[in-house]
Amino acid sequence: MAEPLLSLRGVKTDIGQYHILHGVEFDVPEGGLTMLLGRNGAGKTTTLRTIMGLWRAVAGEIRFAGEDITRMSTPDIARLGIAYVPETMAIFADLTVQENLAFPLRRHGKSRTEEEINDIILETLSNVGLAHAADLMPSELSGGMRKRIGLARSLVMHPEIMLYDEPT
């Protein structure tokens, strides 16, 4: 059996005095789809934020592609190929759609020409049905369209795995 792309073993996360995660364990197979389902407050967002290093596990282990990422910084985790689309979408209101997608490519991506960056952005916008929206401001888009911009901003990095909080 192949090693999972992402694996959590005994992960516990505390936020202040609250014990949110109590020994979470699951595997995400390469090329697979895994969904975390549960009621509000069950720890789905905390699990994703812990994987990304935004909140620290106090116990347990998180492995990605065989590497222990439990104590890595969020930027280092993202560079390994893990993308996170938070429920809040995390798009910049004062940047156009194209500028929102260019931001991670310029900040964390490989060295690329402006033409290559623009090609990646336009292809990604087309893939999420927003090719017409490149020059628009987020405030000019519906909530669903803004959600797709958050998705596209992760997709431009061609991640190995995408953690999508509240995809609906």
Side-chain angles (χ1 to χ4, degrees):
M1 188 148 195
E3 183 175 328
L5 183 60
L6 178 68
S7 178
L8 280 73
R9 292 288 171 261
V11 174
K12 296 180 181 182
T13 301
D14 297 345
I15 300 173
Q17 66 187 23
Y18 300 102
H19 308 292
I20 308 298
L21 301 182
H22 306 273
V24 173
E25 297 197 4
F26 64 87
D27 293 327
V28 177
E30 189 163 353
L33 172 68
T34 301
M35 295 172 45
L36 297 178
L37 301 173
R39 61 176 171 67
N40 286 346
K44 300 177 301 290
T45 296
T46 300
T47 300
L48 299 179
R49 292 179 64 85
T50 301
I51 293 167
M52 286 306 299
L54 295 165
W55 289 333
R56 290 283 166 220
V58 296
E61 181 180 70
I62 304 167
R63 298 187 75 77
F64 175 70
E67 184 173 350
D68 186 351
I69 64 168
T70 312
R71 303 284 175 246
M72 283 185 160
S73 70
T74 300
D76 288 340
I77 291 169
R79 277 190 277 279
L80 288 175
I82 301 178
Y84 176 55
V85 181
E87 180 180 5
T88 60
M89 298 168 275
I91 55 177
F92 299 109
D94 57 340
L95 299 179
T96 67
V97 168
Q98 182 156 346
E99 291 166 337
N100 264 283
L101 271 61
F103 181 80
L105 287 168
R106 290 189 181 117
R107 179 136 191 223
H108 301 293
K110 302 172 192 166
S111 180
R112 294 183 171 98
T113 67
E114 284 301 309
E115 184 177 343
E116 289 170 324
I117 289 172
N118 288 334
D119 288 346
I120 291 167
I121 290 168
L122 293 177
E123 178 183 359
T124 304
L125 285 174
S126 179
N127 288 339
V128 298
L130 292 173
H132 67 283
D135 295 324
L136 297 178
M137 300 300 287
S139 61
E140 299 176 273
L141 304 173
S142 70
M145 293 169 103
R146 286 192 302 271
K147 192 81 169 168
R148 285 190 276 163
I149 296 306
L151 170 63
R153 200 166 80 180
S154 290
L155 289 173
V156 296
M157 298 302 292
H158 296 98
E160 295 291 320
I161 190 170
M162 184 173 298
L163 309 177
Y164 204 125
D165 196 2
E166 297 290 342
T168 58

